[in-house]
Amino acid sequence: MTGSPSDSSNLPSGTHRIGHIALDEETILWRNADVEQERRVAIFDLIEENTFKPVRSAERGAKGPYRLKLAVRDGRLAMDIADKDEGELESLLIGLARFRRPIREYFAICDSYYQAIRKATPAEIETIDMARRGIHNSAAELLVERLEGKVETDFATARRLFTLICVLHIKG
């Protein structure tokens, strides 16, 4: 897998966090400037501040920062987790069926938001942005729930991961 990897090698080595993330470029079928900006911001923010503790790996003594690769395989989110030296720790597959509707709703509201930025009033933009945040927050809560027992994470990390999950689902 390849991607636009982001790295944060100046972080403490014993923390349970993501230090590097990459998206499977073969999964991403299409993107525009708005989507590319969302991806860049999500990755930057995620690397800057996150909580990510793969439970089974941590129980076996693994410590971060972790290297995370995201892909969609057979309708599931694949999370390939490695240590900082790229040694494979574990791969998680998370069913995406429960995310289909939030992803579809998020795409629709983001499209409205991008159009509004170009021609709507500030009040209209704010209303659409509030709806966008609401969908994003609900999806992040769902992701935290789906990762329970597999990965300990916080809400902000889940929000950014959901953004990247959406990027993996873009169809041209």
Side-chain angles (χ1 to χ4, degrees):
M1 277 199 261
T2 62
S4 295
S6 292
D7 211 341
S8 185
S9 54
N10 59 348
L11 296 169
S13 62
T15 59
H16 288 290
R17 56 177 286 108
I18 299 166
H20 171 94
I21 190 161
L23 304 181
D24 178 14
E25 290 296 322
E26 292 178 21
T27 302
I28 302 170
L29 301 177
W30 177 85
R31 61 172 83 142
N32 64 22
D34 294 323
V35 170
E36 185 60 20
Q37 178 65 14
E38 289 278 329
R39 183 195 65 78
R40 278 194 304 269
V41 169
I43 288 175
F44 178 83
D45 289 348
L46 189 64
I47 296 303
E48 285 296 306
E49 182 179 343
N50 70 79
T51 301
F52 189 86
K53 181 179 179 182
V55 175
R56 287 183 300 186
S57 294
E59 287 171 353
R60 292 190 302 263
K63 296 196 183 332
Y66 302 102
R67 298 176 69 83
L68 179 63
K69 294 179 186 176
L70 298 177
V72 175
R73 292 187 204 126
D74 300 322
R76 293 185 175 101
L77 174 65
M79 301 176 79
D80 297 326
I81 305 166
D83 62 23
K84 66 181 180 188
D85 299 320
E86 300 186 45
E88 185 179 324
L89 295 173
E90 63 182 284
S91 289
L92 301 174
L93 290 174
I94 308 293
L96 287 170
R98 293 182 57 199
F99 288 95
R100 285 191 185 108
R101 184 175 181 183
I103 289 169
R104 194 170 46 250
E105 289 174 348
Y106 188 68
F107 282 147
I109 199 78
C110 283
D111 189 43
S112 297
Y113 177 76
Y114 296 136
Q115 290 176 24
I117 286 174
R118 293 174 179 93
K119 60 184 174 186
T121 67
E124 291 169 326
I125 293 169
E126 185 176 341
T127 300
I128 293 169
D129 192 44
M130 286 174 56
R132 181 175 78 134
R133 282 194 309 263
I135 292 167
H136 204 163
N137 289 345
S138 295
E141 290 168 3
L142 177 60
L143 184 57
V144 168
E145 177 186 310
R146 298 291 293 136
L147 290 174
E148 190 173 333
K150 298 173 183 85
V151 174
E152 293 176 12
T153 191
D154 63 356
F155 182 75
T157 301
R159 281 186 104 251
R160 293 169 185 132
L161 288 172
F162 177 72
T163 300
L164 297 176
I165 291 168
C166 287
V167 170
L168 291 171
H169 280 82
I170 292 173
K171 309 259 188 278

